[in-house]
Amino acid sequence: FQASCACNKMMSALSLLCTTLLLLNISAVFAQNTPPYSTHYYTQTLDHFNPQDLRTFQQRYLVYDGAFDASKNVIFFYAGNEGAVDNFYNNTGFMFDIAPKFGALILF
């Protein structure tokens, strides 16, 4: 029974590794089609609930303006998640597909 249990754990770990490698390869393929961005920083308040806390940090954001038409005033904003903003930028192709149709600025 112990050998079977150890074998199952090894197979689960191997399966997880293969899935992770597959997802990384897929991400790399899609990331190659992502247009270049410019990086900017905003001085952000660290604690919005305590007016005495004056600490700040440099919040990074990415801008793609390759499809932007200022006469249309359209901005696509991706709020992101808890992770590196570059990963979200490189794996969110839909926004780049439709930006030219709307003349949109893309902001991450």
Side-chain angles (χ1 to χ4, degrees), residues 51-69:
Q52 274 71 41
D53 188 347
L54 302 177
R55 293 178 298 164
T56 61
F57 69 97
Q58 294 299 301
Q59 183 170 3
R60 183 169 65 128
Y61 63 96
L62 311 178
V63 176
Y64 170 68
D65 61 1
F68 185 53
D69 180 349

Side-chain angles (χ1 to χ4, degrees), residues 40-45 48 56-61:
H40 304 269
Y41 294 89
Y42 174 76
T43 302
Q44 181 67 267
T45 303
H48 295 280
T56 61
F57 69 97
Q58 294 299 301
Q59 183 170 3
R60 183 169 65 128
Y61 63 96

Side-chain angles (χ1 to χ4, degrees), residues 2 7 11 13 36 51 60 72 108:
Q2 288 179 346
C7 184
M11 291 302 290
R60 183 169 65 128
K72 295 183 179 179
F108 276 79

Side-chain angles (χ1 to χ4, degrees), residues 6-72:
C7 184
N8 286 341
K9 287 182 182 179
M10 188 183 329
M11 291 302 290
S12 293
L14 183 60
S15 176
L16 179 62
L17 176 63
C18 289
T19 302
T20 302
L21 290 174
L22 177 63
L23 290 174
L24 288 173
N25 285 332
I26 290 171
S27 295
V29 167
F30 287 116
Q32 293 173 359
N33 298 326
T34 309
Y37 56 81
S38 57
T39 302
H40 304 269
Y41 294 89
Y42 174 76
T43 302
Q44 181 67 267
T45 303
L46 185 63
D47 185 348
H48 295 280
F49 301 103
N50 181 357
Q52 274 71 41
D53 188 347
L54 302 177
R55 293 178 298 164
T56 61
F57 69 97
Q58 294 299 301
Q59 183 170 3
R60 183 169 65 128
Y61 63 96
L62 311 178
V63 176
Y64 170 68
D65 61 1
F68 185 53
D69 180 349
S71 69
K72 295 183 179 179

